[in-house]
Amino acid sequence: MEKQKTVMGLILLLSVWGVSAWTGEIHGRVVCDVCGDSSLGPEDHVIEGAEVAVLCITKSGEVLNYQAFTDAKGIYTVAETMPESDRWDACLARPISSFHEQCTQLGEGSLGVKFSYNHPSGYSHNVRTFVYRPTSVPTYCI
């Protein structure tokens, strides 16, 4: 019986060593397009505290939901370490809300980005910038 436990422990130990970990990262920016001209210029600024949702499907078919908020540079990041066999296959990133008092309307083309995640472990995917617009355009933009 003792010999059987030792063999089972050895098999379990070998199977744990055989599992390779995979790490993926997704990041992007959220910006206020102050003049609403669809181009980022010196008058535009990043939005701190904007909420972004990232939904990923793993190679094994599991759906993972992530929630991220932008930092002082307007950058959000989602990262995960998991077994290689369960790594992300495809993801959808979409902005949820902007906590900026004047910049709350999503710009065209900022509803979401769907993409395949085929990067090896340790590499990140950059999502294009999500753009919010103010409810009214400042007079200096006209």
Side-chain angles (χ1 to χ4, degrees), residues 119-141:
H119 297 294
S121 182
Y123 284 80
S124 62
H125 182 91
N126 293 318
V127 176
R128 69 171 163 70
T129 302
F130 293 127
V131 176
Y132 281 90
R133 294 195 171 132
T135 51
S136 61
V137 177
T139 54
Y140 62 83
C141 292

Side-chain angles (χ1 to χ4, degrees), residues 4-5 15 21 26 64 73 103 114 125 138:
Q4 187 179 10
K5 285 182 183 178
S15 65
I26 298 167
L64 303 173
K73 296 178 182 178
C103 221
K114 184 178 177 182
H125 182 91

Side-chain angles (χ1 to χ4, degrees), residues 31 98 100 102-108 110 131-136:
V31 174
S98 163
H100 192 277
Q102 295 144 350
C103 221
T104 56
Q105 296 179 355
L106 271 173
E108 292 179 25
S110 286
V131 176
Y132 281 90
R133 294 195 171 132
T135 51
S136 61

Side-chain angles (χ1 to χ4, degrees), residues 18-113:
V19 175
S20 62
W22 174 87
T23 301
E25 184 177 300
I26 298 167
H27 54 85
R29 292 179 64 209
V30 179
V31 174
C32 179
D33 181 11
V34 174
C35 292
D37 56 5
S38 297
S39 65
L40 299 179
E43 71 281 351
D44 301 320
H45 54 85
V46 298
I47 301 177
E48 181 178 3
E51 183 180 9
V52 177
V54 179
L55 176 115
C56 292
I57 299 174
T58 66
K59 288 187 174 277
S60 62
E62 185 179 0
V63 177
L64 303 173
N65 289 300
Y66 303 94
Q67 176 184 25
F69 292 90
T70 56
D71 61 15
K73 296 178 182 178
I75 298 171
Y76 66 90
T77 302
V78 170
E80 182 81 56
T81 298
M82 59 187 64
E84 174 70 35
S85 59
D86 290 337
R87 71 186 201 94
W88 297 330
D89 188 39
C91 296
L92 168 70
R94 64 185 183 94
I96 299 297
S97 62
S98 163
F99 295 109
H100 192 277
E101 59 187 45
Q102 295 144 350
C103 221
T104 56
Q105 296 179 355
L106 271 173
E108 292 179 25
S110 286
L111 297 177
V113 178

